[in-house]
RNA sequence: GGGGGCGUAGCUCAGCUUGGUUAGAGCACUUGACUGUCACUCAAGAGGCCGCGGGUUCGAGCCCCGUCGCUCCCGCCA
């Protein structure tokens, strides 16, 4: 399949079965070993590497001299005979280690300058600094690890297309030059040359377009969509990223979740893992109550418990004032935590504080007695509620839930890490459902959408609390694996009047304003919209997880730095002022 | 927008605590030796704006201020 007019085989594909075959291979010199009159080259291509040996018994003096002079990372075309290695010379660490290519000819077709960063590395060699790897990406991407990542990424893309296409989903494309959206993240803007002072935006997601496809009757849509958000970056966040974007008509939550489970299972199978379906489900309220987090890692316990009832009677300032202010006393029991030093627990408290808590209350049980600042205030009821076994440590936060939940989430994760409770092999998929529809600004009372403004509210909630939208739950769902969000979606509002009301609740009350910003969606809905909904999965993150990687940058061929800079091609960059003038732009940067 | 870490040879790092000879090591590179290696080995050599700018000092890789780059985190990311 890879044979061409210039080569017969891939280097990494040669095996003992090929013994005796005369081959011509092309590849990069991975490493060379010159023993004086006897030269070995490891020649690498995308399939792997093979040892090519040069020896006076089968190579001319000129060929040996050429082999001895070639630098690493140069491209060579080698002709020779695949030959089994004597038993003592086999290399079990190499897929091609049972054979070698005995070279009769070599041609250096792409001599290489000395590489700026090494491609071949020893077992314990550290990777070069990330900015150098990005600046010299043409070398970094030669590394077998990164090649394997991108090959897997390709297979996952194909598996996605196959799976969805087989289920009747149409791969439909949407514009990259779109309309700026006032909601959500900051847009990347593109100036219009022909319309002075006007701008396109790059899509944050194809959300509205895919809903319009449903209004058009395409019924099932998917796209492997590039999305753009101009926000500050993180290790797991790139300014442009890829989503598996899905939308379907005449469906409900369970349809989308079942479809997603099958797709996730298909992707994991592509990477060699079996995944059991259906996934567990948990309401947002439960997740927050038991884990303090809307995407809990279920690989370990350390669940959060409510001790408010047992602490209510305590004459202890911290808990008393928190309870009187309407807060609760919640916390986790840490088996073996009583052995931790004061300093170690102080570190946990610092974590809790960095998440917004005022402090972390500690009670430990060692040698049968309780210890800690609150210990002597504990009533027998409180003691039995805490239910500490010997060696246990309770870590409590007395505050409103919106304070204690994130704090306990951080503390819980750190305790699990310390106690080595995380089973790295385990895969705990989970659906988190029934998210709240709105988030309320504690200061102003203003509502904002938790998912996005097109999400449908639970109709029972709308009927039960027509005047309390803050109590409505959304028909939204997130797919979570081991504490990481893989994707999320919702059933959409398909009634234009309801959609208009949602905009009003979100502070976009003016009808003209609504039409100006979202008119093209509202028009589509008014023209007759089926019930519809969908989901989007973060494809880069899925690729990363299935490559066992920890950085998105290792599954993206040409990623940006955390300063949103492309070090390889050196973007962004300034442009000649004539180009700006043509776009009706003028720089406000000093000195320009 | 804010905070932490890092920046010394092509690469990975030491040196900085306590300022003071000619700034070191491993890998890579160059040259030489070596006929079965596979991170070959051995010998020799070359290679430095100590990120950049300013300050303190008789003297700064080292101390101080600023700045730039990378990175991690908070805000932000419907």
């Amino acid at each position: 399949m890879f044979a061409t007019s210039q080569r017969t085989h891939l280097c990494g594909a040669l095996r003992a079965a090929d013994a005796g075959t005369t081959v011509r291979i092309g590849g990069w010199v991975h490493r060379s070993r010159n023993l004086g009159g006897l030269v070995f080259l490891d020649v690498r291509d995308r399939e792997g590497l093979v040892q090519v040996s040069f020896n006076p018994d089968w190579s001319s003096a000129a060929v040996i001299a050429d082999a001895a002079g070639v630098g690493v990372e140069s491209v060579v075309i080698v002709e020779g005979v695949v030959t089994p290695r004597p038993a003592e010379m086999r290399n079990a660490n190499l897929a091609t280690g049972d054979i070698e290519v005995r070279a009769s000819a070599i041609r250096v077709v792409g001599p290489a300058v000395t590489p700026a960063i090494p491609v071949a590395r020893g077992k314990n060699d550290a990777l070069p600094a990330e900015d150098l790897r990005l600046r010299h990406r043409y070398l970094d991407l030669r590394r077998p690890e990164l090649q394997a990542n991108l090959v897997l990424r390709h297979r996952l893309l194909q598996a996605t297309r196959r799976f969805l296409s087989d289920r009747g989903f149409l791969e439909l494309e949407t514009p990259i030059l779109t309309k700026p959206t006032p909601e959500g993240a900051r847009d990347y803007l593109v100036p219009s040359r022909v319309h002075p002072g006007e701008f396109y935006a790059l899509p944050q997601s194809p959300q509205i377009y895919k809903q319009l496809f449903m209004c058009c009757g395409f019924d099932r849509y998917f796209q492997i969509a590039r999305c753009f958000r101009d926000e500050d970056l993180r290790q797991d966040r790139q300014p442009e990223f890829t989503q598996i974007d899905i939308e379907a008509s005449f469906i409900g939550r369970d349809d989308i979740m079942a479809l997603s489970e099958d797709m996730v299972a298909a992707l994991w199978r592509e990477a060699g893992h079996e995944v059991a379906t259906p996934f567990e489900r948990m309401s947002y309220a439960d997740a927050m109550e038991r884990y303090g987090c809307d995407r809990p890692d279920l690989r370990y316990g350390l669940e959060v418990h409510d001790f408010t009832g047992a602490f209510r009677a305590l004459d202890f300032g911290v808990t008393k004032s928190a309870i009187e202010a309407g807060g609760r006393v919640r916390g986790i029991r840490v088996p073996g935590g009583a052995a931790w030093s004061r300093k170690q627990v102080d570190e946990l408290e610092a974590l809790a504080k960095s998440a917004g808590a005022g402090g972390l209350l500690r009670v430990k049980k060692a040698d049968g007695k309780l210890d800690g600042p609150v210990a002597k205030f504990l009533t027998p009821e409180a003691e039995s509620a805490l239910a500490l076994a010997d060696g246990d440590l309770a870590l409590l936060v007395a505050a409103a839930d919106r304070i204690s939940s994130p704090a306990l989430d951080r503390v819980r994760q750190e305790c699990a890490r310390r106690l080595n409770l995380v089973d790295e092999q385990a895969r705990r998929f989970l659906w988190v459902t029934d998210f709240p529809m709105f988030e309320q600004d504690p200061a102003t009372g203003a509502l904002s959408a938790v998912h996005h403004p097109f999400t449908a509210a639970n109709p029972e909630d709308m009927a039960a609390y027509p005047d309390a939208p803050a109590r409505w739950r959304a028909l939204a769902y997130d797919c979570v694996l081991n504490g990481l969000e893989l994707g999320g979606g919702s059933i959409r509002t398909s009634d234009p009047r309801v959609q208009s009301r949602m905009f009003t609740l979100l502070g976009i009350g003016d009808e003209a304003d609504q039409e100006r910003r979202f008119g093209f969606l509202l028009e589509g809905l008014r023209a007759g919209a089926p019930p519809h909904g969908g989901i989007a999965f973060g494809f880069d993150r899925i690729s990363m997880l299935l490559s066992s990687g920890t950085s998105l940058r290792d599954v993206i061929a040409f990623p940006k730095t955390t300063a949103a800079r492309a070090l390889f091609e050196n973007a962004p960059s300034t442009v000649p002022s004539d180009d700006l003038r043509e776009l009706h732009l003028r720089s406000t940067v000093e000195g320009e």
Side-chain angles (χ1 to χ4, degrees):
Chain A
M1 173 190 230
F2 290 94
T4 68
S5 60
Q6 300 189 3
R7 70 170 175 209
T8 61
H9 293 75
L10 287 183
C11 307
L14 296 173
R15 294 291 181 274
D18 299 303
T21 313
T22 298
V23 296
R24 196 188 299 132
I25 52 175
W28 286 255
V29 175
H30 190 68
R31 244 192 268 273
S32 67
R33 294 174 291 282
N34 182 351
L35 278 66
L38 190 62
V39 176
F40 298 94
L41 298 183
D42 293 337
V43 181
R44 182 194 70 229
D45 59 25
R46 73 180 233 193
E47 206 55 29
L49 56 83
V50 69
Q51 171 168 284
V52 180
S53 71
F54 298 80
N55 184 305
D57 293 347
W58 52 81
S59 315
S60 72
V63 165
I64 293 176
D66 285 350
V70 64
V72 292
E73 294 311 316
S74 296
V75 181
V76 294
I77 293 178
V78 170
E79 232 176 277
V81 179
V82 178
T83 311
R85 299 197 202 180
E88 68 276 15
M89 293 173 199
R90 289 187 191 149
N91 186 342
N93 300 320
L94 219 53
T96 59
D98 288 341
I99 51 101
E100 66 180 7
V101 175
R102 298 193 163 174
S104 53
I106 181 170
R107 199 148 54 89
V108 182
V109 293
V113 296
T114 301
I117 57 172
V119 176
R121 290 186 307 131
K123 291 179 192 67
N124 301 317
D125 289 356
L127 278 174
E130 184 135 32
D131 52 327
L132 291 167
R133 291 177 47 205
L134 294 174
R135 183 159 285 126
H136 305 287
R137 199 62 169 168
Y138 54 94
L139 288 171
D140 203 37
L141 286 177
R142 292 181 181 188
R143 287 168 44 224
E145 300 93 313
L146 288 193
Q147 295 223 332
N149 289 354
L150 293 187
V151 168
L152 177 63
R153 186 178 172 119
H154 156 82
R155 289 173 44 208
L156 295 172
L157 285 170
Q158 303 319 310
T160 303
R161 291 199 158 97
R162 214 160 41 236
F163 175 87
L164 289 169
S165 184
D166 286 352
R167 302 269 178 135
F169 284 79
L170 303 172
E171 182 170 9
L172 303 173
E173 292 170 285
T174 53
I176 293 294
L177 296 175
T178 72
K179 184 179 170 61
T181 50
E183 298 289 310
R186 209 173 285 122
D187 285 321
Y188 276 99
L189 293 176
V190 180
S192 164
R193 175 182 56 82
V194 286
H195 300 290
E198 298 182 27
F199 295 83
Y200 303 96
L202 305 183
Q204 295 179 29
S205 84
Q207 182 61 37
I208 292 177
Y209 294 105
K210 69 175 175 177
Q211 290 191 238
L212 289 170
F213 280 144
M214 296 304 105
C215 297
C216 299
F218 286 104
D219 195 82
R220 293 177 174 212
Y221 144 96
F222 84 98
Q223 185 175 199
I224 296 172
R226 199 62 70 82
C227 305
F228 307 85
R229 293 178 190 172
D230 186 7
E231 294 293 343
D232 288 347
L233 305 176
R234 287 288 186 282
Q235 181 177 22
D236 61 348
R237 210 192 291 161
Q238 284 276 310
E240 55 179 308
F241 56 97
T242 304
Q243 278 186 178
I244 302 172
D245 196 42
I246 297 172
E247 196 81 1
S249 294
F250 304 107
I251 42 85
R253 275 194 294 192
D254 290 349
D255 299 304
I256 296 282
M257 287 194 262
L259 172 86
S260 299
E261 285 165 356
D262 288 349
M263 184 183 77
V264 165
L267 294 180
W268 258 252
R269 192 171 305 123
E270 186 67 34
H273 307 292
E274 285 305 316
V275 167
T277 58
F279 300 163
E280 280 179 77
R281 294 189 188 185
M282 187 183 294
S283 71
Y284 170 89
D286 272 1
M288 294 305 289
E289 181 63 26
R290 293 166 56 192
Y291 301 96
C293 172
D294 64 0
R295 46 180 170 83
D297 189 341
L298 300 185
R299 289 175 297 176
Y300 50 90
L302 299 179
E303 286 191 27
V304 174
H305 298 277
D306 179 7
F307 302 109
T308 311
F311 275 67
R312 195 174 300 273
L314 261 60
D315 190 23
F316 183 67
V318 173
T319 54
K320 195 171 181 164
S321 59
I323 294 170
E324 278 167 4
R328 296 197 288 163
V329 179
R330 301 163 71 208
I332 58 175
R333 275 186 213 101
V334 187
W340 286 343
S341 69
R342 170 77 188 261
K343 179 161 171 275
Q344 286 174 300
V345 183
D346 283 349
E347 285 165 6
L348 291 171
E349 177 162 41
L351 265 186
K353 283 181 171 173
S354 75
L360 190 62
L361 196 56
R362 49 194 91 175
V363 185
K364 69 176 175 182
K365 188 167 192 179
D367 304 323
K369 68 181 199 343
L370 293 170
D371 190 23
V374 72
K376 62 175 175 287
F377 296 93
L378 290 174
T379 59
E381 296 76 45
E383 253 180 66
S384 69
L386 280 174
L388 292 183
D390 212 52
D392 284 1
L393 170 70
L395 297 169
L396 311 169
V397 175
D401 290 358
R402 75 186 153 75
I403 304 287
S404 58
S405 286
L408 290 168
D409 173 37
R410 294 281 291 273
V411 169
R412 172 177 175 267
Q413 290 188 41
E414 175 59 17
C415 289
R417 197 189 62 77
R418 286 188 187 182
L419 295 169
N420 213 10
L421 297 178
V422 186
D423 177 358
E424 297 294 343
Q425 304 306 314
R427 279 186 291 274
R428 292 293 297 269
F429 289 94
L430 170 72
W431 287 108
V432 177
T433 62
D434 298 304
F435 280 80
M437 189 71 190
F438 302 106
E439 213 163 23
Q440 195 156 25
D441 188 305
T444 65
L447 297 179
S448 61
V450 166
H451 187 56
H452 59 53
F454 320 114
T455 299
N458 185 315
E460 295 163 26
D461 293 348
M462 291 176 82
Y465 320 107
D467 300 317
R471 297 181 68 173
W472 299 351
R473 289 168 299 171
L475 297 178
Y477 31 82
D478 274 4
C479 185
V480 173
L481 169 62
N482 297 348
L484 295 171
E485 185 190 330
L486 297 182
S490 63
I491 301 303
R492 325 299 183 189
T493 299
S494 49
D495 181 333
R497 290 161 304 179
V498 177
Q499 184 62 66
S500 181
R501 177 159 183 230
M502 291 299 172
F503 288 141
T504 304
L505 289 169
L506 290 167
I508 315 168
D510 184 70
E511 206 167 298
D513 214 22
Q514 289 184 9
E515 291 301 327
R516 189 172 52 76
R517 294 192 196 181
F518 299 110
F520 69 123
L521 172 67
L522 291 171
E523 273 182 42
L525 296 179
R526 281 188 212 114
H532 63 285
I535 193 165
F537 284 87
F539 182 73
D540 304 290
R541 175 171 279 172
I542 287 174
S543 297
M544 179 184 86
L545 290 172
L546 291 175
S547 310
S548 308
T550 51
S551 172
L552 285 186
R553 292 185 284 257
D554 285 348
V555 294
I556 296 173
F558 299 102
K560 306 281 189 287
T561 68
T562 46
R565 206 168 260 293
L567 297 179
F568 178 47
E569 63 273 38
N570 195 23
S573 57
T574 55
V575 296
S577 55
D578 282 356
D579 293 4
L580 288 182
R581 203 167 303 126
E582 198 169 31
L583 295 168
H584 322 287
L585 298 176
R586 192 161 47 228
S587 176
T588 59
V589 176
E590 292 289 319
E592 304 225 355

